Amino acid sequence: MCMNPVEQIDAVIDHFSTAIDATDGLKRVQTVADLEPGVTGVAFDLEGARPLAGKAEAVATFHARGVRMMHLAYNRNNDVAGGCHDAPMRLTALGHDVVAEANRLGVMLDLSHTGEATSFDIIQASSLPVVYSHANPRALHDHARNISDAQMRAVAETGGVICPTGVAKFMGLEHPPSGADMMALIDYTLNIVGEEHVGIGSDMWFAQAGVDETPPGGDFDPHYWWPEAFGYDHGGDEALGGGYMEPPVWFDLPALLDARLGGRVADLILGQNMRRVAAQIWC
Ligand SMILES: [Zn+2]
């Protein structure tokens, strides 16, 4: 949803709202109190501030439609914030208004895909915890999409959570990651920020017949959003190369976490930490 026009985003929200309502086991949630045992709660996320079309008031429109998390930039700079694959940029005056509006309404701010300088500005400007919902330690693999120890510590100090993600490219792997590969990220993040500030960033999608999120018209350029200079491979269907941690490996992860860290810490990482942050923000 980073590069799509507002009309397309409206249609996507309509489609998924209807589909979620019609599916047993899924429920749209607005607050943590809406969560039910055994039912997967779904809230929407905007990856990038472009859909706001230059207006901080637009945060309220998306909040009313079920958006409970947003990134202010997606890889590239915009009128609100800097992206991680663009020239360093500070949070703009409009960006400060957007942060204040997100705090007021209860929209969780996500710094994944955001440039480092803007990230520190958002951390300082936000009165509520902020998160990295899918970002890996740069100390383990030097990629601009990954984050420094200082970024991780600063997010933890807001009360927020850092969620390593099983994307091979951001782990320096040429193959889909194993559970052990994922544990290495989790171990490192735990050592930097502690057990109350680590989560899981799945960051996967699967092609589905009839679903195409490519923006209409001829001005969409994947080379702009995923630049070759940062190692994105546009040779095949998949811009990310190396693939993702596959679902069966994800399903094994709880047992791996439990064996290594014990049930209490495993539960924190598998969702309780993010739930704590959501409870602070989604009210
Ligand atoms: Zn993302």
PDB file of all heavy atoms in Angstrom, residues 221-244:
ATOM      1  N   ASP A 221       7.153   2.199 -11.095  1.00  0.00           N
ATOM      2  CA  ASP A 221       8.479   1.705 -11.454  1.00  0.00           C
ATOM      3  C   ASP A 221       9.068   0.906 -10.291  1.00  0.00           C
ATOM      4  O   ASP A 221       9.537   1.496  -9.308  1.00  0.00           O
ATOM      5  CB  ASP A 221       9.395   2.886 -11.796  1.00  0.00           C
ATOM      6  CG  ASP A 221      10.791   2.418 -12.172  1.00  0.00           C
ATOM      7  OD1 ASP A 221      11.008   1.191 -12.268  1.00  0.00           O
ATOM      8  OD2 ASP A 221      11.663   3.291 -12.348  1.00  0.00           O
ATOM      9  N   PRO A 222       9.062  -0.429 -10.360  1.00  0.00           N
ATOM     10  CA  PRO A 222       9.605  -1.223  -9.252  1.00  0.00           C
ATOM     11  C   PRO A 222      11.084  -0.942  -8.986  1.00  0.00           C
ATOM     12  O   PRO A 222      11.559  -1.109  -7.863  1.00  0.00           O
ATOM     13  CB  PRO A 222       9.383  -2.675  -9.704  1.00  0.00           C
ATOM     14  CG  PRO A 222       9.098  -2.620 -11.161  1.00  0.00           C
ATOM     15  CD  PRO A 222       8.547  -1.271 -11.453  1.00  0.00           C
ATOM     16  N   HIS A 223      11.812  -0.479 -10.020  1.00  0.00           N
ATOM     17  CA  HIS A 223      13.240  -0.182  -9.822  1.00  0.00           C
ATOM     18  C   HIS A 223      13.432   1.030  -8.910  1.00  0.00           C
ATOM     19  O   HIS A 223      14.480   1.184  -8.291  1.00  0.00           O
ATOM     20  CB  HIS A 223      13.916   0.059 -11.178  1.00  0.00           C
ATOM     21  CG  HIS A 223      13.787  -1.107 -12.108  1.00  0.00           C
ATOM     22  ND1 HIS A 223      14.735  -2.098 -12.193  1.00  0.00           N
ATOM     23  CD2 HIS A 223      12.799  -1.471 -12.958  1.00  0.00           C
ATOM     24  CE1 HIS A 223      14.337  -3.014 -13.068  1.00  0.00           C
ATOM     25  NE2 HIS A 223      13.171  -2.648 -13.555  1.00  0.00           N
ATOM     26  N   TYR A 224      12.438   1.905  -8.866  1.00  0.00           N
ATOM     27  CA  TYR A 224      12.490   3.056  -7.961  1.00  0.00           C
ATOM     28  C   TYR A 224      12.260   2.611  -6.510  1.00  0.00           C
ATOM     29  O   TYR A 224      12.998   3.009  -5.613  1.00  0.00           O
ATOM     30  CB  TYR A 224      11.423   4.080  -8.380  1.00  0.00           C
ATOM     31  CG  TYR A 224      11.259   5.226  -7.420  1.00  0.00           C
ATOM     32  CD1 TYR A 224      12.197   6.268  -7.370  1.00  0.00           C
ATOM     33  CD2 TYR A 224      10.167   5.278  -6.553  1.00  0.00           C
ATOM     34  CE1 TYR A 224      12.048   7.319  -6.487  1.00  0.00           C
ATOM     35  CE2 TYR A 224      10.015   6.337  -5.670  1.00  0.00           C
ATOM     36  CZ  TYR A 224      10.953   7.351  -5.636  1.00  0.00           C
ATOM     37  OH  TYR A 224      10.798   8.387  -4.750  1.00  0.00           O
ATOM     38  N   TRP A 225      11.261   1.771  -6.292  1.00  0.00           N
ATOM     39  CA  TRP A 225      10.913   1.383  -4.919  1.00  0.00           C
ATOM     40  C   TRP A 225      11.890   0.366  -4.340  1.00  0.00           C
ATOM     41  O   TRP A 225      12.104   0.330  -3.122  1.00  0.00           O
ATOM     42  CB  TRP A 225       9.482   0.820  -4.888  1.00  0.00           C
ATOM     43  CG  TRP A 225       8.476   1.874  -5.227  1.00  0.00           C
ATOM     44  CD1 TRP A 225       7.838   2.044  -6.423  1.00  0.00           C
ATOM     45  CD2 TRP A 225       8.050   2.949  -4.386  1.00  0.00           C
ATOM     46  NE1 TRP A 225       7.027   3.146  -6.357  1.00  0.00           N
ATOM     47  CE2 TRP A 225       7.124   3.722  -5.130  1.00  0.00           C
ATOM     48  CE3 TRP A 225       8.334   3.337  -3.073  1.00  0.00           C
ATOM     49  CZ2 TRP A 225       6.498   4.854  -4.608  1.00  0.00           C
ATOM     50  CZ3 TRP A 225       7.705   4.463  -2.552  1.00  0.00           C
ATOM     51  CH2 TRP A 225       6.813   5.199  -3.314  1.00  0.00           C
ATOM     52  N   TRP A 226      12.445  -0.501  -5.213  1.00  0.00           N
ATOM     53  CA  TRP A 226      13.408  -1.524  -4.763  1.00  0.00           C
ATOM     54  C   TRP A 226      14.662  -1.390  -5.631  1.00  0.00           C
ATOM     55  O   TRP A 226      14.869  -2.159  -6.584  1.00  0.00           O
ATOM     56  CB  TRP A 226      12.790  -2.924  -4.898  1.00  0.00           C
ATOM     57  CG  TRP A 226      11.551  -3.091  -4.073  1.00  0.00           C
ATOM     58  CD1 TRP A 226      11.486  -3.253  -2.716  1.00  0.00           C
ATOM     59  CD2 TRP A 226      10.191  -3.121  -4.541  1.00  0.00           C
ATOM     60  NE1 TRP A 226      10.169  -3.374  -2.319  1.00  0.00           N
ATOM     61  CE2 TRP A 226       9.358  -3.297  -3.407  1.00  0.00           C
ATOM     62  CE3 TRP A 226       9.597  -3.020  -5.793  1.00  0.00           C
ATOM     63  CZ2 TRP A 226       7.963  -3.363  -3.507  1.00  0.00           C
ATOM     64  CZ3 TRP A 226       8.207  -3.085  -5.894  1.00  0.00           C
ATOM     65  CH2 TRP A 226       7.412  -3.256  -4.756  1.00  0.00           C
ATOM     66  N   PRO A 227      15.526  -0.432  -5.324  1.00  0.00           N
ATOM     67  CA  PRO A 227      16.651  -0.118  -6.231  1.00  0.00           C
ATOM     68  C   PRO A 227      17.678  -1.256  -6.316  1.00  0.00           C
ATOM     69  O   PRO A 227      18.022  -1.870  -5.309  1.00  0.00           O
ATOM     70  CB  PRO A 227      17.289   1.116  -5.568  1.00  0.00           C
ATOM     71  CG  PRO A 227      16.294   1.617  -4.566  1.00  0.00           C
ATOM     72  CD  PRO A 227      15.478   0.452  -4.151  1.00  0.00           C
ATOM     73  N   GLU A 228      18.183  -1.482  -7.526  1.00  0.00           N
ATOM     74  CA  GLU A 228      19.235  -2.485  -7.736  1.00  0.00           C
ATOM     75  C   GLU A 228      20.466  -2.178  -6.882  1.00  0.00           C
ATOM     76  O   GLU A 228      21.175  -3.084  -6.457  1.00  0.00           O
ATOM     77  CB  GLU A 228      19.658  -2.524  -9.214  1.00  0.00           C
ATOM     78  CG  GLU A 228      18.815  -3.423 -10.086  1.00  0.00           C
ATOM     79  CD  GLU A 228      17.630  -2.695 -10.694  1.00  0.00           C
ATOM     80  OE1 GLU A 228      17.303  -1.584 -10.224  1.00  0.00           O
ATOM     81  OE2 GLU A 228      17.015  -3.236 -11.634  1.00  0.00           O
ATOM     82  N   ALA A 229      20.703  -0.884  -6.632  1.00  0.00           N
ATOM     83  CA  ALA A 229      21.879  -0.499  -5.851  1.00  0.00           C
ATOM     84  C   ALA A 229      21.869  -1.123  -4.452  1.00  0.00           C
ATOM     85  O   ALA A 229      22.904  -1.245  -3.809  1.00  0.00           O
ATOM     86  CB  ALA A 229      21.952   1.027  -5.730  1.00  0.00           C
ATOM     87  N   PHE A 230      20.687  -1.527  -3.983  1.00  0.00           N
ATOM     88  CA  PHE A 230      20.588  -2.162  -2.667  1.00  0.00           C
ATOM     89  C   PHE A 230      20.397  -3.677  -2.798  1.00  0.00           C
ATOM     90  O   PHE A 230      19.962  -4.339  -1.856  1.00  0.00           O
ATOM     91  CB  PHE A 230      19.454  -1.535  -1.863  1.00  0.00           C
ATOM     92  CG  PHE A 230      19.739  -0.094  -1.510  1.00  0.00           C
ATOM     93  CD1 PHE A 230      19.263   0.932  -2.313  1.00  0.00           C
ATOM     94  CD2 PHE A 230      20.518   0.229  -0.415  1.00  0.00           C
ATOM     95  CE1 PHE A 230      19.541   2.262  -2.017  1.00  0.00           C
ATOM     96  CE2 PHE A 230      20.809   1.552  -0.111  1.00  0.00           C
ATOM     97  CZ  PHE A 230      20.324   2.578  -0.917  1.00  0.00           C
ATOM     98  N   GLY A 231      20.714  -4.188  -3.988  1.00  0.00           N
ATOM     99  CA  GLY A 231      20.733  -5.639  -4.148  1.00  0.00           C
ATOM    100  C   GLY A 231      19.410  -6.259  -4.532  1.00  0.00           C
ATOM    101  O   GLY A 231      19.292  -7.482  -4.549  1.00  0.00           O
ATOM    102  N   TYR A 232      18.394  -5.453  -4.835  1.00  0.00           N
ATOM    103  CA  TYR A 232      17.118  -6.043  -5.251  1.00  0.00           C
ATOM    104  C   TYR A 232      17.261  -6.575  -6.663  1.00  0.00           C
ATOM    105  O   TYR A 232      17.760  -5.886  -7.551  1.00  0.00           O
ATOM    106  CB  TYR A 232      15.983  -5.018  -5.161  1.00  0.00           C
ATOM    107  CG  TYR A 232      15.713  -4.581  -3.739  1.00  0.00           C
ATOM    108  CD1 TYR A 232      16.285  -3.421  -3.230  1.00  0.00           C
ATOM    109  CD2 TYR A 232      14.910  -5.345  -2.896  1.00  0.00           C
ATOM    110  CE1 TYR A 232      16.063  -3.026  -1.918  1.00  0.00           C
ATOM    111  CE2 TYR A 232      14.685  -4.960  -1.585  1.00  0.00           C
ATOM    112  CZ  TYR A 232      15.265  -3.798  -1.099  1.00  0.00           C
ATOM    113  OH  TYR A 232      15.046  -3.410   0.190  1.00  0.00           O
ATOM    114  N   ASP A 233      16.810  -7.801  -6.857  1.00  0.00           N
ATOM    115  CA  ASP A 233      16.965  -8.478  -8.140  1.00  0.00           C
ATOM    116  C   ASP A 233      15.634  -8.463  -8.875  1.00  0.00           C
ATOM    117  O   ASP A 233      14.657  -9.048  -8.411  1.00  0.00           O
ATOM    118  CB  ASP A 233      17.425  -9.919  -7.878  1.00  0.00           C
ATOM    119  CG  ASP A 233      17.486 -10.728  -9.153  1.00  0.00           C
ATOM    120  OD1 ASP A 233      17.383 -10.135 -10.243  1.00  0.00           O
ATOM    121  OD2 ASP A 233      17.646 -11.957  -9.051  1.00  0.00           O
ATOM    122  N   HIS A 234      15.597  -7.759  -9.998  1.00  0.00           N
ATOM    123  CA  HIS A 234      14.349  -7.675 -10.758  1.00  0.00           C
ATOM    124  C   HIS A 234      14.326  -8.672 -11.921  1.00  0.00           C
ATOM    125  O   HIS A 234      13.511  -8.544 -12.819  1.00  0.00           O
ATOM    126  CB  HIS A 234      14.145  -6.248 -11.268  1.00  0.00           C
ATOM    127  CG  HIS A 234      13.932  -5.270 -10.150  1.00  0.00           C
ATOM    128  ND1 HIS A 234      12.712  -5.083  -9.545  1.00  0.00           N
ATOM    129  CD2 HIS A 234      14.800  -4.458  -9.496  1.00  0.00           C
ATOM    130  CE1 HIS A 234      12.827  -4.187  -8.587  1.00  0.00           C
ATOM    131  NE2 HIS A 234      14.077  -3.788  -8.523  1.00  0.00           N
ATOM    132  N   GLY A 235      15.226  -9.654 -11.852  1.00  0.00           N
ATOM    133  CA  GLY A 235      15.302 -10.623 -12.936  1.00  0.00           C
ATOM    134  C   GLY A 235      14.140 -11.594 -12.973  1.00  0.00           C
ATOM    135  O   GLY A 235      13.744 -12.062 -14.020  1.00  0.00           O
ATOM    136  N   GLY A 236      13.566 -11.890 -11.814  1.00  0.00           N
ATOM    137  CA  GLY A 236      12.466 -12.851 -11.770  1.00  0.00           C
ATOM    138  C   GLY A 236      11.189 -12.196 -11.288  1.00  0.00           C
ATOM    139  O   GLY A 236      11.050 -10.992 -11.317  1.00  0.00           O
ATOM    140  N   ASP A 237      10.238 -13.016 -10.847  1.00  0.00           N
ATOM    141  CA  ASP A 237       8.978 -12.485 -10.342  1.00  0.00           C
ATOM    142  C   ASP A 237       9.162 -11.861  -8.970  1.00  0.00           C
ATOM    143  O   ASP A 237       8.373 -11.048  -8.530  1.00  0.00           O
ATOM    144  CB  ASP A 237       7.948 -13.628 -10.195  1.00  0.00           C
ATOM    145  CG  ASP A 237       7.551 -14.178 -11.562  1.00  0.00           C
ATOM    146  OD1 ASP A 237       7.705 -13.445 -12.538  1.00  0.00           O
ATOM    147  OD2 ASP A 237       7.094 -15.328 -11.611  1.00  0.00           O
ATOM    148  N   GLU A 238      10.176 -12.278  -8.275  1.00  0.00           N
ATOM    149  CA  GLU A 238      10.331 -11.938  -6.868  1.00  0.00           C
ATOM    150  C   GLU A 238      11.462 -10.937  -6.685  1.00  0.00           C
ATOM    151  O   GLU A 238      12.611 -11.230  -6.972  1.00  0.00           O
ATOM    152  CB  GLU A 238      10.633 -13.241  -6.087  1.00  0.00           C
ATOM    153  CG  GLU A 238      10.910 -13.035  -4.639  1.00  0.00           C
ATOM    154  CD  GLU A 238       9.810 -12.245  -3.993  1.00  0.00           C
ATOM    155  OE1 GLU A 238       8.720 -12.806  -3.786  1.00  0.00           O
ATOM    156  OE2 GLU A 238      10.040 -11.049  -3.726  1.00  0.00           O
ATOM    157  N   ALA A 239      11.121  -9.741  -6.216  1.00  0.00           N
ATOM    158  CA  ALA A 239      12.121  -8.695  -6.048  1.00  0.00           C
ATOM    159  C   ALA A 239      13.059  -8.973  -4.888  1.00  0.00           C
ATOM    160  O   ALA A 239      14.117  -8.375  -4.788  1.00  0.00           O
ATOM    161  CB  ALA A 239      11.427  -7.347  -5.835  1.00  0.00           C
ATOM    162  N   LEU A 240      12.692  -9.871  -4.000  1.00  0.00           N
ATOM    163  CA  LEU A 240      13.454 -10.005  -2.765  1.00  0.00           C
ATOM    164  C   LEU A 240      14.533 -11.088  -2.815  1.00  0.00           C
ATOM    165  O   LEU A 240      15.385 -11.129  -1.954  1.00  0.00           O
ATOM    166  CB  LEU A 240      12.503 -10.254  -1.589  1.00  0.00           C
ATOM    167  CG  LEU A 240      11.687  -9.011  -1.230  1.00  0.00           C
ATOM    168  CD1 LEU A 240      10.535  -9.372  -0.308  1.00  0.00           C
ATOM    169  CD2 LEU A 240      12.553  -7.957  -0.570  1.00  0.00           C
ATOM    170  N   GLY A 241      14.512 -11.968  -3.804  1.00  0.00           N
ATOM    171  CA  GLY A 241      15.581 -12.964  -3.925  1.00  0.00           C
ATOM    172  C   GLY A 241      15.737 -13.821  -2.678  1.00  0.00           C
ATOM    173  O   GLY A 241      15.430 -13.395  -1.592  1.00  0.00           O
ATOM    174  N   GLY A 242      16.195 -15.040  -2.812  1.00  0.00           N
ATOM    175  CA  GLY A 242      16.443 -15.875  -1.631  1.00  0.00           C
ATOM    176  C   GLY A 242      15.185 -16.332  -0.925  1.00  0.00           C
ATOM    177  O   GLY A 242      15.192 -17.308  -0.205  1.00  0.00           O
ATOM    178  N   GLY A 243      14.095 -15.596  -1.103  1.00  0.00           N
ATOM    179  CA  GLY A 243      12.808 -16.021  -0.559  1.00  0.00           C
ATOM    180  C   GLY A 243      12.601 -15.672   0.906  1.00  0.00           C
ATOM    181  O   GLY A 243      13.329 -14.861   1.493  1.00  0.00           O
ATOM    182  N   TYR A 244      11.609 -16.311   1.483  1.00  0.00           N
ATOM    183  CA  TYR A 244      11.180 -16.066   2.851  1.00  0.00           C
ATOM    184  C   TYR A 244      11.285 -17.355   3.646  1.00  0.00           C
ATOM    185  O   TYR A 244      11.307 -18.439   3.076  1.00  0.00           O
ATOM    186  CB  TYR A 244       9.704 -15.651   2.883  1.00  0.00           C
ATOM    187  CG  TYR A 244       9.376 -14.492   2.015  1.00  0.00           C
ATOM    188  CD1 TYR A 244       9.042 -14.676   0.692  1.00  0.00           C
ATOM    189  CD2 TYR A 244       9.406 -13.208   2.531  1.00  0.00           C
ATOM    190  CE1 TYR A 244       8.740 -13.604  -0.112  1.00  0.00           C
ATOM    191  CE2 TYR A 244       9.110 -12.129   1.737  1.00  0.00           C
ATOM    192  CZ  TYR A 244       8.781 -12.333   0.409  1.00  0.00           C
ATOM    193  OH  TYR A 244       8.501 -11.282  -0.383  1.00  0.00           O
TER     194      TYR A 244
END
